[in-house]
Amino acid sequence: MGLDIAAGAETEILGSVADRPLIDRIFAERGIEAVIHAGALHKPDIARYPAQSFIDVNMTGTLNLLEAATAAGHDRFVFTSTTSLMISDAIRRETADHAVWLNEASGPLTPRNIYGVTKLGAEGLCRLHHLERGLGCVILRTARFFPEEDDTHRDLTGQNMKANEFLNRRATVEDMADAHLAALDRAVDIGFGTYVIAALTPFRQEEAAELKRDAAAVIARHFPEALVLYAARGWRLPASIGRVYDAGLAERELGFRAATDFAAVLAALKAGKGLPFAHDPDYVSPKEAGGSAA
C-alpha cells in the first residue's frame, strides 16, 4: 500500500510519515510486512519549508517507521537516502584538481544543508535499529533522477544536462525503482548495507585527473561517436567533470545494475529514438498542491 501526503495512482492513504498515530494505525490494520521508505523533504524544498519540517519528516518520520517495523517483527527495511549528503561545499565547488571519486567509503561526510544533514541522521537511525533490534536495513544513496530542470545551472538545455549526467551522477526513475526491489530482496542476507545508486560510470578512477582537466578527451576514448551525435542535436559534452558516483558495490552485493546508462543515451540518439529518460521542465511536486510536507 502507498502512504503519501499527495493523492496519486498508488496512494491508498493520505498522510505523513511524521504522524505517529497514523503510522501505528496503518501497521495495526493493514498487516504491513516490509517498508520501503522514500518519503522525504528534499533539496528544492529548502526554499519552501523551515528546517524544523525537515527534522519532522526526514528524521522523526524515519524513526516512526523504524519503530513501527521493529514492533511488528519485520526483518527488512529499505531507506531511500541521497548522494547529496556526500557533497561537501568543497566538492560542490569542485576545488580539487581531479574528479572526486565518491563511493560508500567516502568521508568524512559533511553535508552542506539541512536536507543532507537530516538524511544522514536518518541513515544513523537505520544503523541503530540494525545494531540494537536486528532489523535488516539497506540504505540506497540515490543519485539524480528528478524530471524537472536543474535549479542551479542554466548553461545547457535540460535534456543535454541530464544526458551528460548519465556519465557520472544520474539514473532513470525506473532503474531507481528496480534498485529498491533488489534491496528489499537482499536486505535480510545483507543485514546492514549502504549503496550508491546511479548508472554505472564508464570511467576508471585512474582517469580522475584527466576528467577534471579534459573530460571531452576521456569521453571520446570511451565513446568515439559521442561528439558527432551530440553535435547533430546541438548539444555539448562536459569540458570538465568534478565528481563521479561509483555504483559498483550495488552491482557486486545487490546484484543491481542500472539498465539505462550513457551508452543507452547515445544509442537512442543514433537511432533517432526518444530519449530513455524523463525530462519535464514544467514538473511540480504533487505535494505542493496540498501545501504540506511529505
Side-chain angles (χ1 to χ4, degrees):
M1 58 146 287
L3 167 69
D4 203 323
I5 63 160
E10 306 300 328
T11 302
E12 293 185 37
I13 295 180
L14 287 171
S16 171
V17 294
D19 184 345
R20 182 58 184 268
L22 173 63
I23 296 300
D24 289 341
R25 179 171 61 80
I26 292 170
F27 273 72
E29 295 177 355
R30 295 296 185 110
I32 306 299
E33 296 177 288
V35 174
I36 295 177
H37 174 30
L41 291 179
H42 67 132
K43 194 254 181 185
D45 291 315
I46 293 173
R48 298 189 282 259
Y49 296 96
Q52 185 63 53
S53 293
F54 282 81
I55 294 171
D56 294 343
V57 174
N58 294 359
M59 293 194 67
T60 302
T62 300
L63 181 62
N64 288 343
L65 289 169
L66 285 164
E67 290 186 341
T70 53
H74 289 191
D75 61 0
R76 68 197 69 201
F77 189 98
V78 177
F79 175 59
T80 310
S81 190
T82 174
T83 52
S84 180
L85 63 80
M86 303 166 68
I87 309 304
S88 65
D89 184 62
I91 293 173
R92 185 177 184 274
R93 290 187 289 109
E94 301 186 355
T95 57
D97 62 358
H98 59 278
V100 177
W101 206 263
L102 293 161
N103 58 28
E104 296 78 5
S106 297
L109 299 178
T110 56
R112 68 190 188 279
N113 54 41
I114 190 65
Y115 171 53
V117 166
T118 53
K119 293 298 276 188
L120 182 58
E123 286 190 5
L125 293 173
C126 292
R127 180 177 57 83
L128 283 177
H129 274 72
H130 170 67
L131 293 174
E132 297 177 354
R133 310 288 183 85
L135 182 62
C137 289
V138 173
I139 295 166
L140 302 182
R141 289 181 180 164
T142 57
R144 291 182 160 201
F145 62 95
F146 55 79
E148 63 262 44
E149 298 279 13
D150 186 285
D151 62 352
T152 59
H153 299 282
R154 293 287 182 267
D155 293 340
L156 302 175
T157 66
Q159 288 183 329
N160 188 170
M161 178 170 283
K162 286 182 174 64
N164 288 355
E165 288 172 345
F166 276 90
L167 288 162
N168 64 315
R169 58 183 300 200
R170 179 171 282 274
T172 65
V173 66
E174 293 85 0
D175 280 329
M176 290 299 184
D178 286 343
H180 283 72
L181 294 178
L184 191 67
D185 184 57
R186 295 280 295 132
V188 173
D189 291 334
I190 289 169
F192 180 81
T194 301
Y195 301 93
V196 170
I197 303 297
L200 204 62
T201 182
F203 305 129
R204 302 182 303 274
Q205 192 165 359
E206 53 266 32
E207 295 175 306
E210 191 180 0
L211 281 169
K212 182 65 183 296
R213 185 176 64 251
D214 187 2
V218 183
I219 296 166
R221 281 203 304 272
H222 289 273
F223 304 100
E225 293 182 301
L227 184 59
V228 171
L229 291 171
Y230 262 50
R233 199 170 180 114
W235 286 2
R236 293 184 317 214
L237 291 167
S240 175
I241 289 177
R243 73 185 86 153
V244 175
Y245 297 154
D246 182 356
L249 187 65
E251 182 174 31
R252 295 189 296 273
E253 294 191 2
L254 289 180
F256 168 79
R257 178 170 180 160
T260 301
D261 55 13
F262 188 69
V265 173
L266 293 183
L269 293 178
K270 186 174 183 178
K273 296 180 179 178
L275 294 170
F277 57 83
H279 174 69
D280 182 359
D282 299 319
Y283 177 84
V284 176
S285 172
K287 70 179 173 54
E288 295 314 308
S292 59

